[in-house]
Amino acid sequence: MITLKSQPEIETMREAGRIVGLAHEAIAKAIRPGITTLELNAIAEKVIRDHGAIPSFLGYGGFPASICASINNVLVHGIPDHTRLKDGDIISIDIGACYKGYHGDSAWTHAVGEISDEAKNLMKITRESLFVGLQQAKPGNRLGDICHAIGEYVESHGYSVPVDYTGHGIGTEMHEEPAIPNYGKAGRGVLLKEGMTLAIEPMVHAGKPQTRVLQDDWTVVSKDGSLAAHYEHTIVITSTGYEILTVNHFEGGNAL
Ligand code: MG
Ligand code: MG
């Protein structure tokens, strides 16, 4: 069932989203060669708890940490550990926070030191695909308009969209209906309505779309070893379009 959120509920989700944005900014400041993903996890968890929220991911389906930290060919669900970031890595950080029973969920990919032009372009196109998709987020459009716009944009730049991982509705549960694939047919699917809260999250491979899950049962990597990027915002459909709830202050963080 897809729920429409009331204004008070949206107000609470705005605060959950704001906390997620703050955690992202703290992590972005800390990212440098030599820092471990566990240290990044601790930084995000502190921001979340200091603002009266709970890390949504910790314990979710048994996930052992507060953030997902996915380096280079890891698409999503990387588990923070003692791995040290290296100059030239890219790292996708996914953060969820639950505030007064409502979740915010946002992911961002960062450069570590100096990265290749290939990595820069993958990040650029994946970030842009998020906002190209969001341009379709308005009442009267259908979910497929968002999905189609993301998939078309990614593939027109020679990259691919893994099909097994999707965005989702969000609210009192981190994952609510509907599932939001990063591909689809324009004009199809659920009619978008004011008050829907959605996590839109393009996950993109530089190479082929096939994925593989590592033996830890979490870490999802590109099968061909190609680089991966991931950008996500939680939004609410408004009377005229959408509002980003997980606002951050990165360059190009909240608009194309
Ligand atoms: Mg996420
Ligand atoms: Mg999500």
Side-chain angles (χ1 to χ4, degrees):
M1 194 183 66
I2 300 172
T3 57
L4 302 181
K5 274 71 175 181
S6 66
Q7 282 307 321
E9 288 180 294
I10 292 164
E11 189 53 47
T12 306
M13 289 189 70
R14 198 176 280 125
E15 181 60 15
R18 191 182 73 87
I19 295 165
V20 170
L22 291 173
H24 266 296
E25 286 166 20
I27 282 204
K29 284 200 187 96
I31 284 178
R32 57 179 159 74
I35 197 164
T36 70
T37 49
L38 256 183
E39 289 171 311
L40 297 178
N41 183 76
I43 288 167
E45 179 160 348
K46 182 170 188 326
V47 172
I48 292 167
R49 293 196 189 280
D50 282 353
H51 288 82
I54 296 165
S56 303
F57 299 174
L58 187 61
Y60 184 88
F63 190 77
S66 296
I67 65 169
C68 299
S70 305
I71 302 171
N72 295 333
N73 65 320
V74 180
L75 177 65
V76 287
H77 305 167
I79 299 172
D81 61 12
H82 294 289
T83 303
R84 290 186 188 284
L85 298 184
K86 300 189 306 290
D87 189 54
D89 284 343
I90 62 171
I91 180 167
S92 299
I93 301 288
D94 197 350
I95 304 178
C98 183
Y99 179 75
K100 294 187 177 169
Y102 287 83
H103 295 270
D105 185 9
S106 175
W108 216 257
T109 303
H110 300 276
V112 182
E114 267 307 304
I115 63 170
S116 67
D117 287 345
E118 181 202 1
K120 274 182 203 163
N121 197 55
L122 175 70
M123 288 170 59
K124 175 178 184 285
I125 298 304
T126 308
R127 182 183 59 77
E128 288 175 356
S129 76
L130 168 61
F131 296 105
V132 167
L134 288 178
Q135 284 171 348
Q136 300 299 320
K138 54 187 163 196
N141 270 11
R142 291 188 179 270
L143 197 60
D145 294 318
I146 299 175
C147 307
H148 174 77
I150 292 171
E152 273 287 303
Y153 192 77
V154 167
E155 288 177 1
S156 74
H157 287 87
Y159 298 134
S160 71
V161 168
V163 297
D164 296 335
Y165 300 91
T166 70
H168 48 92
I170 180 167
T172 54
E173 302 289 335
M174 187 166 61
H175 294 131
E176 299 185 351
E177 289 180 35
I180 308 174
N182 292 309
Y183 63 94
K185 287 198 165 69
R188 299 283 182 87
V190 170
L191 189 63
L192 300 177
K193 290 185 185 149
E194 185 177 359
M196 284 181 178
T197 43
L198 308 171
I200 310 293
E201 49 179 317
M203 291 161 262
V204 174
H205 284 171
K208 294 199 169 71
Q210 285 77 21
T211 56
R212 187 163 66 84
V213 180
L214 300 188
Q215 279 196 334
D216 61 20
D217 280 338
W218 281 106
T219 310
V220 178
V221 301
S222 61
K223 213 167 185 176
D224 63 6
S226 64
L227 285 177
H230 181 199
Y231 291 78
E232 174 183 28
H233 267 314
T234 296
I235 64 157
V236 58
I237 302 290
T238 64
S239 62
T240 55
Y242 68 93
E243 176 192 337
I244 292 174
L245 299 176
T246 44
V247 166
N248 64 49
H249 293 93
F250 302 145
E251 192 184 339
N254 306 302
L256 249 185

